[in-house]
Structures are given as C-alpha cells and as structure tokens.
Amino acid sequence: MHKTLHITTYGCQMNVYDTQRIEEMLTVLGYVLSTKMDADIAIFNTCQIREKAEEKLFSDLGRVRLLKEQRKESGKQMTIVVAGCSAQALGGHILKRAPYVDLVVGPQTYDKLPELLAKIERARISGVGPGQGILGIGFPKISKFDKLNVPRGFHGVSAMLSIQEGCNKFCTYCVVPYTRGAEYSRPLEDILKEAQNLLKQGAKELTLLGQNVNAYSSQSPKGNTVTFSELLYRCAELEGLFRLRYMTSHPREMTQSLIQAHKEIPQLMPFLHLPVQSGSNRVLQEMNRQYTILEYETILENLREARPDIAFSSDFIVGHPGESEEDFEQTCQLAARVGYSQAYSFMYSARPGTPSALKSQLPFEIKQHRLYRLQEILHKSQLAFNISKQGTCLPVLLEKKGKKTGQLLGKTPYMQSVYVQASPELIGSIQWVEIQQGYNNSLAGSLKNRACYSLNNTVQ
Ligand code: 5AD
Ligand code: SF4
C-alpha cells in the first residue's frame, strides 16, 4: 500500500515552489498526494516572516495532533513533519512545545527528507531509535534541489523556477537572512535545463524566484560571472517561452543592464514587484534598506523610460519602531505618487533575533490604524489601474478554468486576473481580450477571436 502525503504551505512563493519540489521528490519514491491532512505523512511548510504565521502553525499542529491520536486508536501511524522557515528559526523549541512532531527540517535540507522519513519508519518498526523528534536544520553549501536530480513533472501554463536563495541584506526587521541563510545562486546550466524541461511539459510562462532574485550571480564553468540580466537574456532564447517574470527584487540590485533588459527582452513582462517598505528616508535607514526614496523613484523612472507601459507593485511595512506620523505620511504620499497597480502592506511584526525587535515598539492600535489608511490608498490605486484598462485590448495568457461554467481565467502582462468566456482548448494560449470591466481584484473581458502571436505582448 502506498503511503499518503499531505503538505500544508504557508507564506511566500519560495515556499510554494519548495512544496512542489518536495511533492515531486516524494511521489517519485511512491508516496501518493492526498488532499486531506489526515495522511500517513503530514508536512507543514512554514513561514516565520510575521508572528501571525507562527501562531497559525501551532494552532494547525494542535489539530493534526488529534488526527494522529485518532489514527493511533485505529492502529495507523502518522508522521508529522515541520519544514520551512519556522523549523529553521525555532528548531528544538518546536519539539519541546509539540513533542508529537516527528521531524523538524529546515529549508536547506529537504534533499535529506527521504532518508529521514525512512529513519523514522525503521525506528517505528524496530522499536529502536530516535524515540523523539529528529532535528535537521543545517546550512549546506550546495542548494538542496541541485542535489536532487529529480526531473520536474509539471502540469500547467505558468511555472516557477527557483534560481537564488537566501539573503545577505539584513534588513533590520527581517528574519529571512537567519532562516534561509546566505545568498546562493544556482548555476546557469542547471537553471536552463530546468527551464527547458518545464517548457517541454507545456509551460508558457516562467517566473524566476529568489528571496533576492536580482542579486543573482553565479560562476560559469570557465570562471566567468553570470549576472542576473545575462540570465534573463539566456532564458529569453529558450524555445517556447512566451512570458518571463521574476520576483522578489531589491531596489539596490536594479542595475542599468537589468533596466536595459526590460527594454530589449520582449518576453519580459511589463510588471515589476519592487518592494519599497517605507516612504521615509529616516525609516529606510533604520531598516537598513540601503537606498533613499529619490534613488527608488529614479529607478522607477528609468524603468518607465525603458518600458513605458510597465506597472509596479510593492511591499510596505507600517509601524516599524520609530516611525513617526510624519514618516508614515511620507509613505502615503509615495504610494499615491507612484500609483501601484498592486501592493502588499503589513503591520510591523517584531521577530525574535532581529535588531528592530529590540527597539521600543509602537502600540498595536497605531500600527493598525496606519495600515487601514495606507491600504485605502493602495486599494484605490489598484482599482484605478484596473479601470484604466477598460475598453483596451490586452494579450491574455489563458491559464485554467474559472469558477463559472464556460469561463477561463487568464493573466494580462500586468499580472491582472481576467475572466473570459472561452473554450478550454485555449488554455495555454495567449489571446486578445477586450476588457469590459475593471474590478478591485480582477478584470472581465471578451475574446477577440484572434490569437496573439506577438512575442512582446504589446497592445494592438
Ligand atoms: N514585519 C512585517 N512585515 C515584514 N516583512 C518582512 N519582515 C517583516 C516583519 N518583521 C514583509 C516585507 C517583505 C515581505 C515579504 O514581508 O514587506 O517585503
Ligand atoms: Fe528580508 Fe531585506 Fe533580505 Fe528582503 S532584502 S529577504 S526584506 S533581509
């Protein structure tokens, strides 16, 4: 009998990618994916970026504990694994607080999962052996997935591809450099191989992923440095690639050559997620972001010059220690000035072990009130952007079936979701869609019955 596997994923795209790779690795070994948490193996791929994600983990662990006990009563076993960033940050603390967890494994050691699961299994059968949860949270030099060598199975239209991990930036509020470790860039050849493989299996769009994706820098076998913009040009040469995206970028790494790539690479979509975090130079300095608002806005200006229709998205943190009313006001003004097409905004959450957590904290009510105020501006700006597309024709990559019958869901070059009546055979193609309505989070349009073959996806 095959063992069943369920993974609960919290947090960012990097975790979603890791979950996919863990699923691939374990299904190759005969595990069968289950939609229910009540499985032979329940993995929690965790996030540590804000306190809320950590709280959610422990409440979910409480639930799975009951399932494990129920299974035991009917003579069945369950292996509970905590993986991801909280595993890395909290380590043995998880085993102490939730002793029914069998394995805690950090984001850099997933390649060891089969071995560790087998160890737990052997111990259960023989009755000899760890007796308590196992901890696997090292920082090996080679990226976990480069060691795996499992060809990726992929079904879909838009694929994620991890090219870089970790972060050396040490923003004072952020736990990532501690949970994901130092920056590591995968070799170019491995990335191109994985990309080709994904395209062969039907992917039309690739999103290159990394915590600090545009800090990508690897060595070729001949010892030359491969920069991020070079990698983009190489990806753009791949046959069958219609659309190319990347996230998440740091403003410090937006080089001239990368901005030029936005002008020259037709497959590179006119949408960029470039987190600013705050509109106040004083707070940016406190956060160790290493740029000023003038520098940030100059980058946006240069990108707009390179690709006039480019749309921007950002992350914001409100209520960082020391943020005054005036600092916050500057954030609101920046948000209104830029006119983001999308944005994520968060209340600052003190993370143990980070420098900002040691500072005097703002009251929750102030942070909450500021978040509401900023979100009002951001929501308005997003709606205005969506409405501005009404009456235009956009090339839409049709990705999957929508909720209503006969409906497909696709994406514009600007990452807007579009609902359109269309036949399922069109999934995977780019079609011209006339936009009828712009809503808060999506667009509605109708098919122009004319496929879009133009690679640069420009409006016709
Ligand atoms: N509190 C709130 N938000 C945070 N982020 C990172 N660390 C924190 C924190 N301690 C946000 C940043 C980052 C996004 C992924 O999460 O905006 O860009
Ligand atoms: Fe965190 Fe800053 Fe690194 Fe982004 S750049 S992962 S916010 S430390």
Side-chain angles (χ1 to χ4, degrees), residues 186-190 192 216 218-226 234:
R186 291 177 68 188
L188 174 70
E189 295 310 319
D190 290 9
L192 293 178
Y216 177 90
S218 69
Q219 297 293 312
S220 73
K222 285 188 185 144
N224 301 323
T225 302
V226 183
R234 292 295 300 274

mmCIF file of all heavy atoms in Angstrom, residues 186-190 192 216 218-226 234:
data_model
loop_
_atom_site.group_PDB
_atom_site.id
_atom_site.type_symbol
_atom_site.label_atom_id
_atom_site.label_comp_id
_atom_site.label_asym_id
_atom_site.label_seq_id
_atom_site.Cartn_x
_atom_site.Cartn_y
_atom_site.Cartn_z
ATOM 1 N N ARG A 186 21.970 29.448 -8.122
ATOM 2 C CA ARG A 186 22.151 28.159 -8.818
ATOM 3 C C ARG A 186 22.946 28.364 -10.110
ATOM 4 O O ARG A 186 22.833 29.412 -10.750
ATOM 5 C CB ARG A 186 20.791 27.549 -9.170
ATOM 6 C CG ARG A 186 20.013 27.088 -7.965
ATOM 7 C CD ARG A 186 18.659 26.557 -8.365
ATOM 8 N NE ARG A 186 18.748 25.322 -9.127
ATOM 9 C CZ ARG A 186 17.705 24.738 -9.725
ATOM 10 N NH1 ARG A 186 16.516 25.301 -9.653
ATOM 11 N NH2 ARG A 186 17.854 23.619 -10.384
ATOM 12 N N PRO A 187 23.692 27.368 -10.529
ATOM 13 C CA PRO A 187 24.441 27.516 -11.774
ATOM 14 C C PRO A 187 23.512 27.719 -12.972
ATOM 15 O O PRO A 187 22.426 27.129 -13.027
ATOM 16 C CB PRO A 187 25.189 26.183 -11.911
ATOM 17 C CG PRO A 187 25.156 25.561 -10.558
ATOM 18 C CD PRO A 187 23.941 26.081 -9.860
ATOM 19 N N LEU A 188 23.962 28.545 -13.916
ATOM 20 C CA LEU A 188 23.169 28.881 -15.101
ATOM 21 C C LEU A 188 22.673 27.626 -15.831
ATOM 22 O O LEU A 188 21.497 27.535 -16.210
ATOM 23 C CB LEU A 188 24.033 29.737 -16.048
ATOM 24 C CG LEU A 188 23.427 30.075 -17.396
ATOM 25 C CD1 LEU A 188 22.277 31.054 -17.241
ATOM 26 C CD2 LEU A 188 24.479 30.659 -18.333
ATOM 27 N N GLU A 189 23.576 26.669 -16.049
ATOM 28 C CA GLU A 189 23.217 25.487 -16.838
ATOM 29 C C GLU A 189 22.075 24.702 -16.182
ATOM 30 O O GLU A 189 21.190 24.204 -16.865
ATOM 31 C CB GLU A 189 24.434 24.566 -17.053
ATOM 32 C CG GLU A 189 25.536 25.196 -17.904
ATOM 33 C CD GLU A 189 25.021 25.804 -19.216
ATOM 34 O OE1 GLU A 189 24.153 25.185 -19.848
ATOM 35 O OE2 GLU A 189 25.470 26.920 -19.582
ATOM 36 N N ASP A 190 22.100 24.605 -14.864
ATOM 37 C CA ASP A 190 21.031 23.878 -14.152
ATOM 38 C C ASP A 190 19.701 24.584 -14.336
ATOM 39 O O ASP A 190 18.657 23.950 -14.519
ATOM 40 C CB ASP A 190 21.325 23.812 -12.648
ATOM 41 C CG ASP A 190 22.483 22.900 -12.336
ATOM 42 O OD1 ASP A 190 23.158 22.473 -13.295
ATOM 43 O OD2 ASP A 190 22.728 22.632 -11.141
ATOM 44 N N LEU A 192 18.842 26.604 -16.851
ATOM 45 C CA LEU A 192 18.365 26.486 -18.236
ATOM 46 C C LEU A 192 17.799 25.087 -18.488
ATOM 47 O O LEU A 192 16.805 24.928 -19.194
ATOM 48 C CB LEU A 192 19.502 26.796 -19.217
ATOM 49 C CG LEU A 192 19.984 28.258 -19.197
ATOM 50 C CD1 LEU A 192 21.145 28.460 -20.155
ATOM 51 C CD2 LEU A 192 18.854 29.233 -19.520
ATOM 52 N N TYR A 216 21.137 37.784 -8.136
ATOM 53 C CA TYR A 216 21.668 36.553 -8.735
ATOM 54 C C TYR A 216 23.064 36.786 -9.304
ATOM 55 O O TYR A 216 23.303 37.743 -10.045
ATOM 56 C CB TYR A 216 20.753 36.064 -9.863
ATOM 57 C CG TYR A 216 21.298 34.824 -10.561
ATOM 58 C CD1 TYR A 216 20.970 33.557 -10.117
ATOM 59 C CD2 TYR A 216 22.174 34.945 -11.638
ATOM 60 C CE1 TYR A 216 21.488 32.429 -10.728
ATOM 61 C CE2 TYR A 216 22.701 33.823 -12.261
ATOM 62 C CZ TYR A 216 22.350 32.573 -11.797
ATOM 63 O OH TYR A 216 22.881 31.457 -12.405
ATOM 64 N N SER A 218 26.277 33.969 -10.514
ATOM 65 C CA SER A 218 26.888 32.640 -10.423
ATOM 66 C C SER A 218 28.160 32.611 -11.263
ATOM 67 O O SER A 218 28.428 33.548 -12.020
ATOM 68 C CB SER A 218 25.899 31.574 -10.893
ATOM 69 O OG SER A 218 25.686 31.706 -12.284
ATOM 70 N N GLN A 219 28.919 31.548 -11.128
ATOM 71 C CA GLN A 219 30.158 31.380 -11.896
ATOM 72 C C GLN A 219 29.922 30.358 -12.986
ATOM 73 O O GLN A 219 29.378 29.291 -12.738
ATOM 74 C CB GLN A 219 31.281 30.857 -10.983
ATOM 75 C CG GLN A 219 31.664 31.797 -9.854
ATOM 76 C CD GLN A 219 32.311 33.082 -10.367
ATOM 77 O OE1 GLN A 219 33.213 33.035 -11.200
ATOM 78 N NE2 GLN A 219 31.831 34.235 -9.908
ATOM 79 N N SER A 220 30.355 30.680 -14.209
ATOM 80 C CA SER A 220 30.271 29.694 -15.280
ATOM 81 C C SER A 220 31.408 28.688 -15.057
ATOM 82 O O SER A 220 32.350 28.981 -14.315
ATOM 83 C CB SER A 220 30.429 30.378 -16.630
ATOM 84 O OG SER A 220 31.774 30.749 -16.807
ATOM 85 N N PRO A 221 31.344 27.508 -15.718
ATOM 86 C CA PRO A 221 32.433 26.534 -15.522
ATOM 87 C C PRO A 221 33.800 27.128 -15.873
ATOM 88 O O PRO A 221 34.810 26.726 -15.324
ATOM 89 C CB PRO A 221 32.058 25.398 -16.488
ATOM 90 C CG PRO A 221 30.581 25.526 -16.685
ATOM 91 C CD PRO A 221 30.260 26.987 -16.566
ATOM 92 N N LYS A 222 33.808 28.120 -16.782
ATOM 93 C CA LYS A 222 35.093 28.746 -17.141
ATOM 94 C C LYS A 222 35.511 29.827 -16.140
ATOM 95 O O LYS A 222 36.538 30.476 -16.304
ATOM 96 C CB LYS A 222 34.981 29.378 -18.533
ATOM 97 C CG LYS A 222 35.010 28.351 -19.649
ATOM 98 C CD LYS A 222 35.086 29.048 -20.992
ATOM 99 C CE LYS A 222 34.990 28.004 -22.098
ATOM 100 N NZ LYS A 222 34.248 28.519 -23.239
ATOM 101 N N GLY A 223 34.669 30.067 -15.154
ATOM 102 C CA GLY A 223 35.041 31.034 -14.110
ATOM 103 C C GLY A 223 34.533 32.448 -14.354
ATOM 104 O O GLY A 223 34.885 33.358 -13.617
ATOM 105 N N ASN A 224 33.700 32.640 -15.400
ATOM 106 C CA ASN A 224 33.130 33.974 -15.622
ATOM 107 C C ASN A 224 31.898 34.164 -14.743
ATOM 108 O O ASN A 224 31.170 33.203 -14.470
ATOM 109 C CB ASN A 224 32.693 34.151 -17.084
ATOM 110 C CG ASN A 224 33.864 33.971 -18.019
ATOM 111 O OD1 ASN A 224 34.979 34.387 -17.706
ATOM 112 N ND2 ASN A 224 33.626 33.328 -19.151
ATOM 113 N N THR A 225 31.670 35.416 -14.370
ATOM 114 C CA THR A 225 30.488 35.701 -13.556
ATOM 115 C C THR A 225 29.264 35.844 -14.463
ATOM 116 O O THR A 225 29.319 36.520 -15.483
ATOM 117 C CB THR A 225 30.702 37.011 -12.770
ATOM 118 O OG1 THR A 225 31.865 36.838 -11.969
ATOM 119 C CG2 THR A 225 29.518 37.341 -11.888
ATOM 120 N N VAL A 226 28.195 35.156 -14.092
ATOM 121 C CA VAL A 226 26.930 35.302 -14.824
ATOM 122 C C VAL A 226 26.030 36.202 -13.991
ATOM 123 O O VAL A 226 25.733 35.886 -12.833
ATOM 124 C CB VAL A 226 26.235 33.929 -15.027
ATOM 125 C CG1 VAL A 226 24.968 34.086 -15.849
ATOM 126 C CG2 VAL A 226 27.174 32.917 -15.655
ATOM 127 N N ARG A 234 19.539 34.827 -21.553
ATOM 128 C CA ARG A 234 19.672 33.402 -21.901
ATOM 129 C C ARG A 234 18.311 32.702 -21.834
ATOM 130 O O ARG A 234 17.977 31.881 -22.686
ATOM 131 C CB ARG A 234 20.673 32.700 -20.963
ATOM 132 C CG ARG A 234 22.112 33.164 -21.155
ATOM 133 C CD ARG A 234 22.667 32.803 -22.533
ATOM 134 N NE ARG A 234 22.677 31.378 -22.789
ATOM 135 C CZ ARG A 234 23.646 30.544 -22.428
ATOM 136 N NH1 ARG A 234 24.715 31.021 -21.814
ATOM 137 N NH2 ARG A 234 23.563 29.256 -22.686
#
